[in-house]
């Protein structure tokens, strides 16, 4: 998709998005209004799963990439699989979740790989995060994103640090210049059939 306003709008009810292969969705730069790749309204739920990749970009500064349009409340976003590379937000907007001062919304990550890049890191009036909402819960998967202090995180890898007991079930590469830390009390397990390739550094104080 490559449209001018929003590409997908989840207006009500639930939408299950199953990823297969490589997918790209983006908005045009400098589009005013509710420009965003995936808009999840206040009373709607989006669940993303599958084994594919979603590359999502919102070129409009300050607006979420997946979540609420500017000054609208966000619904519920569940990420349960796939690889999501999302770029957007900045100037008060989060990459995934709410944007602007209306806030709200729930973001749950239970599996998959999520990479969030802020389009503009200027905080302006509101603090932008990679994942943002009234409730953010990361209970699995590998996430590279800034989050608020009230984020729940367990049994996952967040910004290179293992939280709780995390089991890698698919192939994953620690890239050159990247660092993964297994702190004291945490456990990193590589499941049978999965491969962990280390081109960076892995520090283990745990197991």
């Amino acid at each position: 998709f490559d449209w001018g306003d929003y590409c997908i709008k989840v207006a009500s009810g639930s939408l299950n998005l199953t990823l297969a292969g490589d997918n790209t969705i983006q908005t045009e730069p400098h589009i005013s209004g509710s420009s965003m790749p995936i808009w999840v309204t206040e009373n709607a739920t989006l669940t993303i799963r599958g084994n594919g990749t979603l590359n999502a970009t919102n070129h409009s500064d300050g607006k979420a990439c997946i979540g609420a349009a500017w000054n609208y409340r966000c619904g519920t976003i569940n990420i349960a699989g796939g690889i999501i590379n999302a770029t957007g937000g900045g100037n008060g907007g989060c990459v995934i979740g709410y944007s602007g001062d209306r806030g709200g919304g729930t973001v749950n990550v239970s599996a998959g790989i999520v990479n969030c890049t802020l389009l503009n890191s200027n905080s302006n009036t509101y603090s932008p995060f990679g994942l943002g909402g009234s409730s953010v819960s990361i209970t699995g998967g590998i996430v590279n994103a800034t989050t608020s202090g009230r984020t729940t995180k367990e049994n996952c890898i967040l910004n290179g640090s293992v939280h709780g007991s995390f089991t890698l079930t698919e192939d994953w590469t620690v890239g050159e210049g990247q660092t993964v830390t297994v702190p004291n009390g945490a456990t990193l397990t590589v499941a049978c059939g999965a491969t962990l390739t280390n081109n960076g550094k892995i520090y283990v104080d745990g197991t």
Side-chain angles (χ1 to χ4, degrees), residues 62-118:
K63 298 181 178 69
C65 182
I66 302 172
W70 183 256
N71 283 341
Y72 286 83
R73 287 188 176 275
C74 183
T76 299
I77 301 168
N78 301 315
I79 299 174
I83 300 173
I84 300 174
N85 301 311
T87 300
N91 278 339
C94 295
V95 181
I96 298 178
Y98 70 82
S99 62
D101 61 344
R102 298 299 178 92
T106 298
V107 179
N108 301 311
V109 180
S110 59
I113 299 174
V114 180
N115 300 308
C116 293
T117 302
L118 283 167

Side-chain angles (χ1 to χ4, degrees), residues 52 86 135 162 164:
S135 174
V162 177

